[in-house]
């Protein structure tokens, strides 16, 4: 009721001074939750962003794989800077990512795991 009165007063004052009718500001829009072409709900991540993220994760894997055998074993993982800062957290992450429990991470296991600090939905 109060906003109606204020709007009416402003409109009346504008018309009295010969000004055109003021237009109200547009309402904010909510993020899209419509299904994308792949059938999943749009999450704000474009295909280009996903490709960039995948390339970044592949580069990380290559840096971790010191002996270039296409696997990151437990020792290679422990020697990474992030693992030396928080060894217990790194050990848990290694165990979580190593789905087949062979004490080494394949590139597929690495890419399938959620990025550090991100949770898979």
């Amino acid at each position: 009721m109060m906003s109606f009165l204020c709007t009416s007063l402003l409109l009346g004052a504008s018309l009295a001074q010969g000004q055109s009718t003021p237009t109200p500001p547009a309402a904010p829009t909510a993020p899209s939750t419509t299904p994308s072409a792949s059938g999943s709900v749009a999450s704000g991540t474009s295909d280009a962003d996903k490709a960039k993220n995948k390339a970044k994760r592949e580069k990380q894997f290559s840096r971790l794989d010191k002996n270039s055998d296409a696997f990151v074993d437990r020792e290679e993982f422990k020697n990474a800077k992030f693992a030396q800062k928080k060894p217990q957290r790194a050990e848990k992450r290694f165990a979580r990512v190593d789905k087949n429990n062979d004490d080494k991470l394949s590139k597929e296991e690495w890419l399938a795991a959620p990025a550090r600090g991100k949770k898979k939905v």
Side-chain angles (χ1 to χ4, degrees):
M1 178 80 172
M2 187 63 134
S3 64
F4 175 74
L5 289 175
C6 292
T7 304
S8 298
L9 289 174
L10 287 174
L11 182 60
S14 297
L15 292 175
Q17 294 178 358
Q19 297 175 352
S20 64
T21 306
T23 58
T29 58
S32 173
T33 57
T34 57
S36 65
S38 65
S40 63
V41 173
S43 63
T45 305
S46 70
D47 289 338
D49 289 339
K50 289 177 184 176
K52 193 177 189 181
N53 185 37
K54 183 178 179 186
K56 180 180 174 185
R57 305 271 322 264
E58 287 175 342
K59 191 173 182 178
Q60 289 171 336
F61 183 85
S62 295
R63 276 196 310 262
L64 289 171
D65 184 17
K66 296 295 185 189
N67 62 1
S68 300
D69 65 349
F71 292 98
V72 175
D73 62 34
R74 196 173 291 274
E75 286 304 310
E76 288 172 325
F77 197 79
K78 284 181 182 179
N79 290 329
K81 279 185 183 180
F82 65 85
Q84 291 177 351
K85 288 180 184 177
K86 297 185 178 183
Q88 289 177 331
R89 182 180 286 181
E91 185 62 36
K92 287 179 184 178
R93 177 161 174 75
F94 186 90
R96 189 173 53 247
V97 175
D98 185 17
K99 296 294 184 187
N100 60 2
N101 298 318
D102 63 352
D103 277 341
K104 56 186 177 181
L105 305 178
S106 67
K107 186 180 277 191
E108 291 77 26
E109 287 174 319
W110 181 257
L111 295 176
R116 189 180 89 225
K118 313 254 183 196
K119 291 188 176 183
K120 223 175 193 178
V121 178

